[in-house]
Amino acid sequence: MKRTSRDIRTANRYHLLRQAIADSPVSRAALAEATGLSPATVATLVGELIELGMLVEAGFEDSGGGRPRGLLAVNAGGGALIGVDVAETYVHVEVVDLALRVLGRAHEELAPEDGAPARLVRRIAGAVRVATGRAAAEGRVLGAGISMPGMVDREGGVSVFAANWDWREVPLLALLAEHLPHRLYLDNPMRACMVAELWFGAARGREDAVVVNLGTGVGTGLAIGGALHRGVSNSAGEWGHTTLVLDGRPCHCGRRGCVETYVGAPGIMRTLRELDPRSPLLVGGDQTATVAALADALDRGDPTATAVLRRTADCLGAAVGDLVNLLDPEVIVLTGWVTRRLGDRLLDAVRGAVAWHALPRPSAGAEIVLSPIGANPVSLGAATFALEGALASNGRAGG
Amino acid sequence: MKRTSRDIRTANRYHLLRQAIADSPVSRAALAEATGLSPATVATLVGELIELGMLVEAGFEDSGGGRPRGLLAVNAGGGALIGVDVAETYVHVEVVDLALRVLGRAHEELAPEDGAPARLVRRIAGAVRVATGRAAAEGRVLGAGISMPGMVDREGGVSVFAANWDWREVPLLALLAEHLPHRLYLDNPMRACMVAELWFGAARGREDAVVVNLGTGVGTGLAIGGALHRGVSNSAGEWGHTTLVLDGRPCHCGRRGCVETYVGAPGIMRTLRELDPRSPLLVGGDQTATVAALADALDRGDPTATAVLRRTADCLGAAVGDLVNLLDPEVIVLTGWVTRRLGDRLLDAVRGAVAWHALPRPSAGAEIVLSPIGANPVSLGAATFALEGALASNGRAGG
């Protein structure tokens, strides 16, 4: 267990820049007040971030009779960040500046045959080139974060396991480096969502937070002490295969009763089929269309849709309540395409179910919210990995 | 989210003293190597800990031709720590020195009528006086840690909720302070077990660890990044009421299917009754006697006892596997009186079940062990809270 002074410096840089992005323009005194760091530490860190081109001096504010105080702002032109969200069916790339303005985008559909490693690498590199071309990023690119489905070995740059493509131990970063000149950072979508919420979303300024992602699969990202919790093998947050019902519904993982089989999109469809095998809401086998039909049916008070929501929220409330009891977080952030589609109705039902399932004390401490981040938190989070990488690797010592 | 330079200093003190206790006598160079702290930081921290009377110079070691290196040792006489384990049926007090030698003990049974706050406070204070009298602690007492069942508000010194005594919001520390002259620290047994493992047990030197306590109730203590994880309302680790079987066995908490109803002592007894309602292993309603009978029956290969162990381990494996997937810890430490009684047989069965239930990557990273700490990790952990308190509150600035 080695936590070096370098780690502490990096953590302080994250902490300060996050606050500066949130409050820009802001004085050094306000940053010290907001972060709890000493004025001397703030002065040192601000100097480093100016040198790195991430902050700039931005005029003065009146300080009520005293000497006018210098203000700092995020240097939008200080560098571009590339965020890549690779999913089973698409590659989505966003290029953003340090003020989070989107400079360029690319979105390309993937065919099943694109899942071969060499081919997928070419598709990713091509999409990145399109997006950076559109961005016409004059400044330097600080790095590119790539979110891959499945499990990744971040240090080795290896996609350890991607179920749908039957990938095992693919040296993804080494392959990508042959096509792209940027510093590359690899991680998975759950952790990308969590860092996006930590830097720019509902977990900003919070110590302990959980992002719950509901899509075809389900999973979580965890933040403890204001930082992403990775675990010893960089796989923390694997929540989809938590046992909710011992010997319950069969799961593609080979076990039974996993939470994913109740609250992932296929699980929600199964609940609907159990309630009404001939429901017109079941749009073929199409998950997206069925969840959309369910959302519309909820809007018109359809009783079957209401029952599906209630059952789903009850399962989710039990499982999220267990997270609340175990981790006692300040905030639970719901995200993912199923969450975005069902919105406030899902939120209300889940809040009620968690209040019933969780113990009163941790339940009272945990806010449950929808993610405030727009359409693609994963690519934003991937770009954030590149930002964190730039903050960790650059420094006065040139390291 | 304020992490001040004071917090960092305190964390570094914990980190360094923990290592020094483990390796005593030890050189500054070895401490820097083992902790990852810079030699300058180690020198400063060692100076502070010598000033606080916790470390002493202890001769020199040869450094292979160079200047002989000064060695540091824990100053056993530097202060006594009092650890109090309050349970529903007893008060157990241990007084230890900084080298963890037990200087004095007291153990007193509680009757149901002792559960009234004023009466319990007198019983606790009496037991502490007996133990310190036996300890004849010449040195100063650095503080007393008190572990209380149920939920506690640590900052306010309030026992928020103790189910068996129907306590709500009892200002325990204020009441105790009328009887005891020591600095007092309040927390619960799960967190006491976790800090004991972090400082002196199986979690020493680990970043992320979970203590799983199996007794009448069950619960966990969590360590993330080498430090106890408390959560926003100091109630993190409430794992006993995690849903293992939706709509399963009824629980005294009012919900159903909680993990406690399957792997706590009463849950194990219920499994035994389900398998054989007239089993001679069911020693009346006595949990302790039944678990002891079960352990003996396992030793002679009794098929019913073997089946009970298998079912219990399967439930525990699913629930612990979920913790492994979610938190991706380096080590899971099994503790509590049921664990101590069933020992290696339980460990082997749980290891097998976790390997089946958890995902391969986090499962490969997580060692599962029995606690190496002797009879009462709770009182040791409570004493550790007093040690941590002394490290956090004393300093050069006299704060």
Side-chain angles (χ1 to χ4, degrees):
Chain A
M1 187 180 66
K2 298 193 178 191
R3 232 160 310 126
T4 65
S5 46
R6 195 187 171 93
D7 297 336
I8 293 170
R9 188 199 63 178
T10 300
N12 283 340
R13 280 184 175 182
Y14 290 1
H15 195 25
L16 192 89
L17 185 60
R18 228 181 262 174
Q19 196 71 43
I21 291 173
D23 299 341
S24 178
V26 60
S27 69
R28 287 167 179 79
L31 284 172
E33 172 63 27
T35 57
L37 296 166
S38 73
T41 303
V42 168
T44 305
L45 291 169
V46 164
E48 290 172 10
L49 291 170
I50 288 175
E51 212 169 283
L52 287 169
M54 294 188 179
L55 291 179
V56 287
E57 304 278 2
F60 293 88
E61 71 175 359
D62 190 46
S63 63
R67 197 155 59 96
R69 284 195 289 212
L71 290 174
L72 300 155
V74 172
N75 180 20
L81 303 161
I82 301 171
V84 185
D85 171 18
V86 182
E88 285 152 19
T89 55
Y90 65 82
V91 177
H92 182 88
V93 183
E94 293 193 356
V95 182
V96 297
D97 68 15
L98 291 180
L100 291 188
R101 277 186 311 229
V102 177
L103 304 175
R105 263 196 197 93
H107 188 97
E108 302 190 3
E109 301 298 321
L110 295 179
E113 61 269 24
D114 289 319
R119 196 162 166 145
L120 186 68
V121 162
R122 282 197 302 274
R123 296 294 313 270
I124 294 171
V128 168
R129 278 191 295 264
V130 169
T132 47
R134 284 177 186 155
E138 298 118 44
R140 65 212 160 114
V141 171
L142 295 173
I146 295 115
S147 164
M148 283 289 294
M151 287 190 170
V152 298
D153 172 355
R154 195 172 146 251
E155 271 72 43
V158 172
S159 177
V160 173
F161 180 67
N164 266 49
W165 295 324
D166 199 24
W167 280 27
R168 277 160 217 276
E169 310 285 342
V170 174
L172 189 69
L173 287 197
L175 295 173
L176 271 173
E178 294 173 15
H179 298 265
L180 293 171
H182 316 297
R183 290 184 90 124
L184 302 173
Y185 304 90
L186 181 66
D187 221 306
N188 91 354
M190 297 297 113
R191 283 184 285 279
C193 285
M194 187 71 252
V195 294
E197 297 295 340
L198 271 174
W199 277 82
F200 312 112
R204 186 155 63 185
R206 308 298 185 105
E207 281 285 311
D208 306 323
V210 179
V211 168
V212 174
N213 184 85
L214 303 178
T216 304
V218 307
T220 61
L222 311 180
I224 305 284
L228 184 64
H229 172 61
R230 297 188 170 281
V232 65
S233 59
N234 194 41
S235 66
E238 288 288 346
W239 174 75
H241 301 288
T242 296
T243 303
L244 182 64
V245 184
L246 201 71
D247 300 320
R249 291 181 178 175
C251 182
H252 63 84
C253 76
R255 295 169 61 234
R256 302 184 75 98
C258 299
V259 64
E260 184 164 303
T261 65
Y262 295 86
V263 304
I268 295 173
M269 288 177 76
R270 176 166 170 169
T271 302
L272 174 53
R273 269 198 308 274
E274 284 174 3
L275 283 166
D276 179 3
R278 291 173 193 180
S279 169
L281 303 175
L282 286 162
V283 188
D286 187 332
Q287 296 173 27
T288 320
T290 301
V291 172
L294 203 57
D296 293 342
L298 285 169
D299 285 341
R300 46 172 206 270
D302 178 89
T304 308
T306 305
V308 169
L309 181 74
R310 202 165 47 226
R311 290 205 188 178
T312 303
D314 190 49
C315 290
L316 194 56
V320 170
D322 292 344
L323 289 174
V324 167
N325 287 347
L326 184 70
L327 297 172
D328 191 13
E330 289 174 78
V331 63
I332 299 264
V333 187
L334 304 181
T335 189
W337 69 265
V338 170
T339 302
R340 277 192 294 279
R341 201 66 193 78
L342 298 177
D344 283 329
R345 290 182 191 280
L346 180 71
L347 179 67
D348 291 344
V350 169
R351 280 180 173 162
V354 171
W356 157 250
H357 283 287
L359 297 168
R361 192 173 160 87
S363 181
E367 211 183 331
I368 302 176
V369 300
L370 298 177
S371 170
I373 294 175
N376 197 311
V378 177
S379 55
L380 179 62
T384 309
F385 284 127
L387 176 59
E388 291 194 342
L391 287 169
S393 66
N394 294 324
R396 284 182 165 177
Chain B
M1 187 180 63
K2 297 192 178 190
R3 232 160 310 126
T4 65
S5 46
R6 195 187 171 94
D7 297 335
I8 293 169
R9 188 199 62 179
T10 299
N12 283 341
R13 280 184 174 183
Y14 290 2
H15 195 24
L16 192 90
L17 185 60
R18 229 181 261 175
Q19 197 71 42
I21 291 173
D23 299 342
S24 179
V26 61
S27 69
R28 287 168 180 79
L31 285 172
E33 172 63 26
T35 59
L37 296 167
S38 73
T41 303
V42 168
T44 305
L45 291 169
V46 164
E48 291 172 9
L49 291 170
I50 288 175
E51 211 169 285
L52 288 169
M54 295 190 179
L55 292 179
V56 287
E57 304 278 1
F60 294 88
E61 70 175 358
D62 190 45
S63 64
R67 195 155 60 94
R69 283 195 289 212
L71 290 174
L72 300 155
V74 173
N75 181 20
L81 303 162
I82 300 171
V84 184
D85 170 18
V86 182
E88 284 153 20
T89 54
Y90 65 82
V91 177
H92 183 88
V93 183
E94 294 193 356
V95 183
V96 297
D97 68 15
L98 290 181
L100 291 188
R101 278 186 311 228
V102 177
L103 305 174
R105 264 196 197 92
H107 188 95
E108 302 191 3
E109 302 296 322
L110 294 179
E113 62 269 25
D114 288 320
R119 194 160 166 146
L120 186 67
V121 162
R122 281 196 302 275
R123 296 296 312 270
I124 294 172
V128 168
R129 277 191 296 263
V130 169
T132 47
R134 286 176 186 157
E138 300 118 42
R140 64 210 161 114
V141 171
L142 294 173
I146 295 113
S147 164
M148 283 289 295
M151 287 191 171
V152 298
D153 173 356
R154 194 172 146 251
E155 270 72 43
V158 172
S159 176
V160 173
F161 179 66
N164 265 49
W165 296 323
D166 200 23
W167 279 28
R168 277 159 217 276
E169 309 286 340
V170 174
L172 189 70
L173 286 197
L175 295 172
L176 270 173
E178 293 172 15
H179 297 265
L180 293 172
H182 316 297
R183 290 184 89 123
L184 302 173
Y185 303 89
L186 181 65
D187 221 306
N188 92 353
M190 297 297 113
R191 283 184 286 278
C193 285
M194 186 71 251
V195 294
E197 297 294 341
L198 270 174
W199 278 82
F200 312 112
R204 185 155 63 184
R206 308 299 185 104
E207 281 284 311
D208 306 324
V210 180
V211 169
V212 174
N213 184 85
L214 303 178
T216 305
V218 307
T220 61
L222 311 180
I224 306 285
L228 183 64
H229 172 60
R230 296 187 170 281
V232 66
S233 59
N234 195 40
S235 65
E238 289 288 347
W239 175 74
H241 302 287
T242 296
T243 303
L244 182 64
V245 184
L246 202 72
D247 301 321
R249 291 181 178 175
C251 182
H252 63 84
C253 76
R255 296 169 60 234
R256 301 185 75 97
C258 298
V259 65
E260 183 164 304
T261 64
Y262 295 86
V263 304
I268 295 173
M269 288 177 76
R270 177 166 170 168
T271 302
L272 175 54
R273 270 197 308 273
E274 285 174 4
L275 284 165
D276 179 2
R278 290 172 194 183
S279 169
L281 302 175
L282 286 162
V283 189
D286 187 331
Q287 296 173 27
T288 320
T290 300
V291 172
L294 203 56
D296 293 344
L298 285 170
D299 285 341
R300 47 172 204 271
D302 178 90
T304 308
T306 305
V308 169
L309 181 74
R310 201 164 48 226
R311 289 204 189 179
T312 303
D314 190 49
C315 290
L316 193 56
V320 170
D322 292 344
L323 289 174
V324 167
N325 287 348
L326 185 70
L327 298 172
D328 191 14
E330 289 174 78
V331 63
I332 300 264
V333 188
L334 304 181
T335 188
W337 69 265
V338 171
T339 302
R340 277 192 294 280
R341 202 65 193 77
L342 298 177
D344 283 329
R345 291 181 191 282
L346 180 72
L347 178 67
D348 291 344
V350 169
R351 280 180 173 161
V354 170
W356 157 250
H357 283 286
L359 297 168
R361 192 172 160 88
S363 181
E367 212 184 331
I368 303 176
V369 300
L370 298 177
S371 170
I373 294 174
N376 198 310
V378 176
S379 56
L380 179 61
T384 309
F385 284 127
L387 176 59
E388 290 195 343
L391 287 169
S393 65
N394 294 324
R396 286 183 162 175

